């Protein structure tokens, strides 16, 4: 028991720096996971479609983005920004690196030609998955005010419930508060992972709106169980 108490005293609370680190790790994991899932689907589920499947998904996702985000408080013309980012991604990852030239003109060496033939679908699918990933990150970015609004509403509602409990005869539960606090960020980040990693086109409202509602409810539950007296 003494050792456990010493370890607890030695543990320092996390600062705000862990939030952007968690976001970056979530984005990287989602990108790698989405590429791996697409490769597995090409190998076992839709080998006849090849990279064309990921290209179609990218096209549909950009259609959602251009139709739903014509104006935003964060950027005047989101569709123009998205189109520019996709063109830059295609150039730097596919053309500037010489991968496009190698896939289409691998040379006369039979081994190199065979490699280019078998890797063509996987390389191009990774490119289009990355472009889809960028579109979805932009969608998450431009829907962030909705998450902030849901969080603010949840915070206000939770504080109201806390005051009702404070001036009444309600009991405190440190167990509920600490466990609810741990799920504030994961409730949002896990929705990001799902949305960024699904290998098919899905309207962002289907995932992000329930995720924002869950995020607000988690904050409300956390704030309502905050201790009555500071």
């Amino acid at each position: 028991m003494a050792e456990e108490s010493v370890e607890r005293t030695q543990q320092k609370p996390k600062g705000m720096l862990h939030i952007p680190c968690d976001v970056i790790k979530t984005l990287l994991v989602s990108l790698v996971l989405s590429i791996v899932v697409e490769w597995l689907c090409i190998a076992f589920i839709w080998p006849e479609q090849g990279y064309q499947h990921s290209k179609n998904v990218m096209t549909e996702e950009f259609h959602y983005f251009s139709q739903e985000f014509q104006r935003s408080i964060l950027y005047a013309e989101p569709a123009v920004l998205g189109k520019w980012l996709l063109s830059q991604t295609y150039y730097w990852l596919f053309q500037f690196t010489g991968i496009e030239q190698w896939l289409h003109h691998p040379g006369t060496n039979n081994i190199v030609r065979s490699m280019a033939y078998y890797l063509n679908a996987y390389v191009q699918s990774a490119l289009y998955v990355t472009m889809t990933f960028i579109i979805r990150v932009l969608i998450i970015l431009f829907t962030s005010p909705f998450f902030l609004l849901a969080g603010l509403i949840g915070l206000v509602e939770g504080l109201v419930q806390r005051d009702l409990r404070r001036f009444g005869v309600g009991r405190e539960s440190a167990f509920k508060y600490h466990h609810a606090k741990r799920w504030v960020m994961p409730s949002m980040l896990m929705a990001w992972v799902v949305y960024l990693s699904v290998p098919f086109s899905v309207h962002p409202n289907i995932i992000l709106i329930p995720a924002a509602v869950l995020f607000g409810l988690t904050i409300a539950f956390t704030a309502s169980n905050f201790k009555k007296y500071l």
Side-chain angles (χ1 to χ4, degrees):
M1 296 295 293
E3 293 179 355
E4 293 180 359
S5 61
V6 172
E7 291 179 357
R8 291 179 180 177
T9 56
Q10 289 178 350
Q11 291 178 352
K12 296 182 179 180
K14 293 183 179 180
M16 295 298 295
L17 184 61
H18 80 282
I19 296 180
C21 293
D22 290 344
V23 172
I24 293 175
K25 288 190 293 185
T26 300
L27 294 178
L28 292 177
V29 169
S30 301
L31 176 59
V32 174
L33 181 61
S34 58
I35 293 176
V36 171
V37 169
E38 183 68 26
W39 283 352
L40 292 175
C41 291
I42 290 177
F44 300 105
I45 299 180
W46 49 67
E48 69 285 349
Q49 297 185 40
Y51 73 88
Q52 193 64 38
H53 174 269
S54 57
K55 184 177 181 180
N56 293 336
V57 172
M58 185 270 296
T59 303
E60 293 180 13
E61 291 291 327
F62 184 75
H63 175 73
Y64 291 147
F65 178 71
S66 60
Q67 291 295 320
E68 301 293 337
F69 296 93
Q70 297 182 2
R71 290 290 185 272
S72 174
I73 61 175
L74 301 179
Y75 193 82
E77 297 180 343
V80 176
L81 175 63
K83 188 175 182 179
W84 179 81
L85 287 176
L86 292 183
S87 63
Q88 292 298 310
T89 302
Y90 186 88
Y91 172 75
W92 289 105
L93 294 183
F94 205 53
Q95 294 180 333
F96 180 80
T97 57
I99 295 178
E100 182 181 34
Q101 179 70 18
W102 177 72
L103 289 176
H104 294 154
H105 305 284
T108 57
N109 189 288
N110 291 332
I111 298 178
V112 176
R113 290 174 64 90
S114 299
M115 289 178 57
Y117 175 77
Y118 287 108
L119 294 178
N120 180 52
Y122 295 95
V123 173
Q124 295 205 53
S125 65
L127 169 68
Y128 289 116
V129 166
T130 303
M131 296 171 72
T132 302
F133 174 82
I134 292 175
I135 296 173
R136 289 175 174 175
V137 169
L138 287 176
I139 292 176
I140 291 175
L141 176 63
F142 288 114
T143 55
S144 58
F146 181 62
F147 277 86
L148 294 177
L149 180 61
L152 180 61
I153 295 175
L155 178 62
V156 173
E157 176 64 22
L159 292 177
V160 170
Q161 295 298 323
R162 172 183 174 270
D163 285 340
L164 293 176
R165 178 171 54 85
R166 177 181 178 183
F167 295 110
V169 292
R171 294 182 178 181
E172 289 189 354
S173 176
F175 176 83
K176 292 181 180 180
Y177 168 72
H178 289 292
H179 280 73
K181 185 176 67 173
R182 295 176 183 175
W183 283 97
V184 171
M185 288 301 296
S187 65
M188 180 175 62
L189 296 181
M190 285 191 298
W192 289 8
V193 173
V194 172
Y195 177 60
L196 293 172
S197 303
V198 290
F200 50 84
S201 180
V202 58
H203 198 283
N205 292 344
I206 298 177
I207 297 179
L208 296 183
I209 289 182
V213 173
L214 179 61
F215 179 67
L217 291 176
T218 307
I219 292 181
F221 186 77
T222 303
S224 65
N225 286 280
F226 191 68
K227 57 185 179 180
K228 291 187 289 185
Y229 302 102
L230 299 177

